[in-house]
């Protein structure tokens, strides 16, 4: 009887521990749709890389990047899954399995600001930040 009771307690505790590791992925519905963004050279303020991204409601994304450096044009794409939690944006590349985590906040309905730092922190020279604008169709 003691053995049966110990096994039952072990199974229940194992089941409860396993459930705590489940991550529920939420999607901020305001990020769904087609967006465009760009990175700029720090000195010349010329676009060096720009992209369009399609974020789907089901958590999938697809990005087409274009860069223009030293008169050379490069185009590539990426796909994966995305989700949000506590004003953080998560993007998991399906090919490289690299997870990007970055803060985000909306400047207005059609523009979102992404930054390594929370939105109330001062942006400094070497910080990673960019805006994306919603593409209206």
């Amino acid at each position: 009887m003691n053995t049966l009771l110990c096994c039952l307690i072990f199974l229940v505790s194992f089941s409860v521990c396993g459930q705590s590791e489940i991550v529920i992925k939420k999607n901020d519905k305001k990020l769904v749709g087609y967006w465009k963004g760009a990175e700029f050279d720090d000195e010349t303020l010329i676009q060096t890389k720009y992209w369009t991204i399609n974020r789907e409601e089901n958590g999938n994304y697809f990005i087409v990047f274009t860069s223009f450096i030293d008169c050379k044009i490069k185009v590539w794409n990426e796909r994966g899954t995305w989700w949000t939690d506590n004003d953080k944006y998560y993007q998991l590349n399906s090919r490289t399995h690299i997870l990007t985590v970055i803060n985000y906040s909306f400047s207005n309905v059609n523009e979102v600001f992404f930054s390594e730092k929370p939105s109330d922190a001062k942006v400094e020279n070497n910080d990673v930040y960019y805006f994306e604008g919603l593409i209206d169709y």
Side-chain angles (χ1 to χ4, degrees):
M1 185 67 168
N2 285 340
T3 307
L4 182 60
L5 184 59
C6 287
C7 287
L8 183 60
I9 291 172
F10 175 75
L11 288 175
V12 169
S13 65
F14 184 72
S15 174
V16 170
C17 291
Q19 288 177 356
S20 66
E21 295 175 9
I22 295 173
V23 176
I24 298 173
K25 295 180 180 178
K26 300 177 275 185
N27 293 345
D28 187 336
K29 301 294 184 206
K30 294 182 282 186
L31 288 169
V32 172
Y34 290 90
W35 295 79
K36 61 182 177 179
E39 287 182 6
F40 297 87
D41 181 272
D42 291 337
E43 294 175 14
T44 63
L45 298 179
I46 295 174
Q47 284 187 0
T48 56
K49 178 169 75 172
Y50 54 98
W51 61 90
T52 57
I53 179 170
N54 177 22
R55 291 186 193 91
E56 299 175 357
E57 278 191 56
N58 65 7
N60 292 327
Y61 74 86
F62 182 76
I63 305 175
V64 176
F65 292 101
T66 305
S67 68
F68 183 74
I69 300 172
D70 297 329
C71 296
K72 294 180 185 174
I73 297 174
K74 181 179 175 186
V75 178
W76 70 101
N77 62 49
E78 174 184 316
R79 68 177 62 241
T81 56
W82 71 276
W83 65 95
T84 58
D85 188 32
N86 287 337
D87 297 327
K88 292 198 181 297
Y89 174 79
Y90 297 82
Q91 189 168 284
L92 180 61
N93 184 316
S94 61
R95 185 178 47 82
T96 64
H97 304 290
I98 293 174
L99 177 65
T100 303
V101 181
I102 195 160
N103 296 296
Y104 78 99
S105 62
F106 285 89
S107 309
N108 61 47
V109 176
N110 296 328
E111 186 176 69
V112 63
F113 175 68
F114 293 91
S115 173
E116 287 181 335
K117 295 181 177 179
S119 61
D120 58 350
K122 181 181 176 187
V123 176
E124 298 176 8
N125 286 344
N126 293 330
D127 292 343
V128 173
Y129 63 92
Y130 55 91
F131 288 89
E132 285 184 356
L134 185 62
I135 301 172
D136 288 331
Y137 285 106

